[in-house]
Amino acid sequence: MDTKISDVGTAATQAAREIRRRIISGAYPSGMRLHQENIAAELGVSRSPVREAFRQLEAEGLVILTSQKGGKVAPIRAEEVVELFELRLLIEPHLLALAVPNFTDADVAAAEKIIAEMDGIDVAQWAEANWRLHMAFYEPARRPTTTRQLERIHSGIDRYLRMQITLTEGRDRAHTDHKAILSACRNHDAELAVALLRSHILAAARAFVPAG
Amino acid sequence: MDTKISDVGTAATQAAREIRRRIISGAYPSGMRLHQENIAAELGVSRSPVREAFRQLEAEGLVILTSQKGGKVAPIRAEEVVELFELRLLIEPHLLALAVPNFTDADVAAAEKIIAEMDGIDVAQWAEANWRLHMAFYEPARRPTTTRQLERIHSGIDRYLRMQITLTEGRDRAHTDHKAILSACRNHDAELAVALLRSHILAAARAFVPAG
DNA sequence: TCTCGTGAAAATGGATACAAAAATCAGTGA
DNA sequence: TCACTGATTTTTGTATCCATTTTCACGAGA
């Protein structure tokens, strides 16, 4: 067997990735009609893989399919974002509490590396790195299934996030939060780490859900 | 507009429903190879809708697709079930706490009706009614997105559950639990309801995850 | 007997063809 | 002008077709 440098996957997989990216980035705005033929043409494939991608994205909550009427980008409602933040507030502290006792020097170093990367990066990449950092915090918990659920929850929020604004205003706050959380992890202080994470997520929630 | 008695949906939708049912019921056992042509023939459709159904079910975590090698029923590992129960323990009490203040007489009546149905029903239907009851408990919380996530978590467990055993052993315990929880809901005692629910879920978890 | 090729059979992935449903639009009548 | 109707066009959903990949059985050779 030869070492596949990058398994790009099937056309359907790639189509799903690309369409997901476009939805999350806002290139396909909320509510936009998803035209099978057009998208197939844009991606240089036929409608079959596009249709499969739609099904997948529907299950992920990013697309709405209606029988005989096709697909559209799932509209985001504010109440939905509230729910997604509530779920983050449940799941992320849970994961962090499980992770902290397992934190190794390597885990700390990995997180520090990401934090360093985040300095002076552009907005889009910052958001991506920010999420990678959160994932790095939870990795030592070894909860792949839970993490997967969380990923999906996050993608729902992320789309809304970018739609809204410049995250720049929260970046300083986030930076100090991240460093404090990491420090608590390094000291294996789960209590403190969780408390800090909760207020970190709450701050993010307040920034985007005024009436939260 | 005329009232659609039952929107059966497209062939792909129906295929997904049926295949999902077969996986959860154990008719398609864990790890089983999913043959596009055979399944298409069984369902009386072509491979196209079956392929779409596979994509959907993959996103739901019930199927594993491998590039150029097709699909198989996602094998369940014990650690995964542990995670799913952990998630139930996070999410269900959260929902119940939100629901209790909103409980109306109608909500209580709806739950009582389900509890009544559950008396002397066969195992498969009991499991289904049991879940409907849990959903009835959370309905007053008005958290559709959260509920949807929970549904998916539950389907992962349910499949394992049925694979394992006769749920009969836990039915008495569950019955008393359910009545106690409902009573607490009727009295708007969120504190108590949540405590009861937590131990109810823990009992279920212990029954299926010996080393839990 | 075991291993390694080789080739046929089978299965997947994707493109295309076709039928049915929905949307659009022109024209008619009030 | 506006509402309705019926034809036309567009778009979806499904079946079928083709190319590529994988699987598997068979047989030659050590």
Side-chain angles (χ1 to χ4, degrees), chain A residues 51-52 59 83 143 146 152, chain B residues 51-52 59 83 146 152:
Chain A
R51 289 181 56 82
E52 291 182 25
E83 285 192 59
R143 291 293 190 282
T146 307
R152 186 163 308 169
Chain B
R51 290 179 55 81
E52 291 182 24
E83 285 191 61
T146 307
R152 186 164 304 168

Side-chain angles (χ1 to χ4, degrees), chain A residues 20 31 38 54 66 70-71 81 96 106 108 128 145 152 165-166 171-172 186 189 193:
Chain A
R20 186 189 301 111
N38 292 354
F54 282 7
T66 311
V81 179
L96 189 61
V108 172
E128 184 268 333
T145 301
R152 186 163 308 169
I165 43 149
T166 86
R171 271 175 73 161
D172 285 343
R186 188 190 292 111
D189 186 344

Side-chain angles (χ1 to χ4, degrees), chain A residues 34-195:
Chain A
L34 293 171
H35 211 282
Q36 296 177 4
E37 196 113 47
N38 292 354
I39 293 175
E42 286 175 26
L43 303 182
V45 296
S46 79
R47 282 168 48 215
S48 314
V50 171
R51 289 181 56 82
E52 291 182 25
F54 282 7
R55 288 278 167 191
Q56 180 175 339
L57 295 170
E58 187 197 29
E60 293 177 15
L62 295 176
V63 164
I64 305 238
L65 295 181
T66 311
S67 188
Q68 309 287 356
K69 297 225 261 171
K72 63 179 183 185
V73 177
I76 301 202
R77 287 156 298 114
E79 319 93 55
E80 184 178 340
V81 179
V82 171
E83 285 192 59
L84 294 175
F85 270 112
E86 285 177 352
L87 285 168
R88 281 189 67 185
L89 270 172
L90 285 175
I91 296 174
E92 296 196 39
H94 163 73
L95 283 173
L96 189 61
L98 290 167
V100 166
N102 298 340
F103 247 82
T104 66
D105 291 344
D107 295 321
V108 172
E112 266 167 351
K113 183 151 171 281
I114 299 175
I115 290 178
E117 282 176 29
M118 290 170 73
D119 199 34
I121 210 175
D122 88 77
V123 171
Q125 299 198 359
W126 186 89
E128 184 268 333
N130 176 55
W131 188 243
R132 274 216 322 280
L133 177 61
H134 277 246
M135 286 319 211
F137 284 153
Y138 313 138
E139 205 279 327
R142 296 296 155 95
R143 291 293 190 282
T145 301
T146 307
T147 298
R148 203 177 136 117
Q149 303 275 343
L150 183 59
E151 290 262 22
R152 186 163 308 169
I153 288 162
H154 179 261
S155 82
I157 290 179
D158 206 30
R159 178 156 89 87
Y160 189 72
L161 245 141
R162 308 211 188 181
M163 190 175 88
Q164 290 284 76
I165 43 149
T166 86
L167 330 160
T168 36
E169 66 181 64
R171 271 175 73 161
D172 285 343
R173 158 83 199 248
H175 188 64
T176 25
D177 282 357
H178 289 154
K179 283 196 294 189
I181 293 168
L182 181 56
S183 170
C185 291
R186 188 190 292 111
N187 301 332
H188 297 287
D189 186 344
E191 202 71 43
L192 178 61
V194 164

